[in-house]
Amino acid sequence: MQTALTLPELRLAVEKLRESGPRTSTVALVSTMGALHDGHLTLMRAAAEKADHVIASIFVNPRQFGEGEDLDAYPRQLAEDSAKLESEGVALLWAPDVAAMYPAGYATNISVSGVSAGLCGGDRPGHFDGVATVVCKLFNQVRPDMALFGEKDWQQLAVIRRMARDLDLAFPHVDAIHGVPTVREADGLAMSSRNAYLSAEHRAAAATLPRAMDEAIARIRDGQHVGRTLAAMEDELLGAGFSRVDYAELRDADSIASLDGDNGNARLFVAARIGGTRLIDNKPV
């Protein structure tokens, strides 16, 4: 596996990958912030099934962290992550530093309205501007034929697809931005780098989140009142040891518009805090 640390190195490496076969090879991009777990590696495997070469990026993006969030504490383990990527057959790792991604004088920001409103967009002002900006830069730097993202961050996926559609991006085209189903632990908790922050007690209690979501979804499918169902789910989470529920909402999967009932395209979105760690999840109804 090659590792590129500067933009000229990256572009030369991508060009060589594309010219490595008897025809122009296809490349897939999987962008990450590192601290890789099996959820990330599942994305790499899915990308390998779709493209000739997989390019992974690791960049802890300061622009998507808000005031008081865990930018400094976010785990950085490039050597360990590199070994995991190499074992998955990733062809190229793009690992820029902040100066390479945002050089002196950088002054551009991308903002995507609509799908970024509410949910994590409401709780973390400016977060999705940072996501859209860095992902657009990564797309322009790598110019992949396709890109893959985990569905655990469903609102993020919706923001990226909206950006690609609105800006007429060709590498990748919006139709080549693929979501990969959430990878879960044995007890149902969605895999996340932030799970490592949980104590043993809080980790055990965190499994209440996916179970409570499944119960709420079953009630919604049965036609029970959405507001009362979600309020009961919040009470269950607080009773299990969660300190706060940031949101628990039913939304349209594509527009991210609020719903008061299942429209045939609904997803349940939840963000809750336990032991100082903020966990997010979403599931289709």
Side-chain angles (χ1 to χ4, degrees):
M1 182 182 74
Q2 302 178 75
T3 298
L5 302 178
T6 69
L7 193 53
E9 290 174 350
L10 171 71
R11 287 178 169 156
L12 179 60
V14 173
E15 182 180 358
K16 288 183 177 179
L17 282 179
R18 288 194 176 279
E19 296 174 348
S20 62
R23 56 179 177 80
T24 301
S25 298
T26 57
V27 299
L29 172 66
V30 180
S31 58
T32 81
M33 293 205 301
L36 302 182
H37 51 68
D38 199 52
H40 295 110
L41 303 183
T42 297
L43 291 174
M44 306 300 165
R45 296 165 197 150
E49 293 178 357
K50 293 178 176 292
D52 297 314
H53 303 290
V54 178
I55 299 175
S57 66
I58 293 178
F59 178 65
V60 181
N61 178 31
R63 288 177 167 251
Q64 66 191 72
F65 287 79
E67 185 177 352
E69 292 187 340
D70 54 356
L71 173 60
D72 291 337
Y74 197 88
R76 293 161 172 84
Q77 48 191 49
L78 187 60
E80 182 179 339
D81 289 342
S82 295
K84 290 179 179 179
L85 294 174
E86 188 160 18
S87 71
E88 293 294 334
V90 170
L92 173 62
L93 169 61
W94 170 221
D97 61 14
V98 174
M101 187 63 73
Y102 302 118
Y106 185 89
T108 299
N109 186 60
I110 295 175
S111 181
V112 181
S113 61
V115 292
S116 66
L119 302 179
C120 285
D123 284 346
R124 305 176 69 188
H127 169 71
F128 285 120
D129 288 5
V131 169
T133 300
V134 77
V135 171
C136 189
K137 285 180 68 67
L138 289 168
F139 285 173
N140 286 333
Q141 291 164 347
V142 176
R143 293 178 61 80
D145 299 284
M146 64 195 74
L148 290 85
F149 296 89
E151 291 183 353
K152 183 177 79 72
D153 295 307
W154 185 276
Q155 188 178 18
Q156 171 180 279
L157 178 58
V159 167
I160 292 167
R161 284 172 168 161
R162 184 77 261 172
M163 174 195 69
R165 182 177 293 110
D166 289 353
L167 297 182
D168 303 316
L169 297 186
F171 295 97
H173 185 272
V174 63
D175 293 338
I177 298 174
H178 305 292
V180 177
T182 302
V183 179
R184 298 184 177 276
E185 304 283 1
D187 59 7
L189 185 67
M191 286 191 178
S192 170
S193 300
R194 288 185 168 87
N195 293 352
Y197 300 162
L198 298 171
S199 67
E201 178 184 358
H202 288 141
R203 173 62 188 82
T208 306
L209 176 58
R211 290 199 302 269
M213 291 178 68
D214 288 339
E215 293 166 2
I217 287 169
R219 295 190 187 106
I220 292 170
R221 287 174 178 166
D222 286 343
Q224 296 187 34
H225 188 273
V226 170
R228 288 192 290 271
T229 296
L230 298 184
M233 183 186 70
E234 291 188 37
D235 288 342
E236 181 178 356
L237 292 175
L238 295 173
F242 283 81
S243 59
R244 191 172 86 196
V245 177
D246 288 348
Y247 60 75
E249 298 185 29
L250 194 68
R251 298 245 178 170
D252 182 82
D254 297 324
S255 68
I256 316 297
S258 296
L259 300 172
D260 56 11
D262 183 13
N263 68 347
N265 191 42
R267 293 186 82 92
L268 175 59
F269 293 84
V270 181
R273 297 176 186 265
I274 185 168
T277 299
R278 184 177 187 271
L279 302 178
I280 66 169
D281 204 346
N282 70 89
K283 294 190 174 193
V285 174

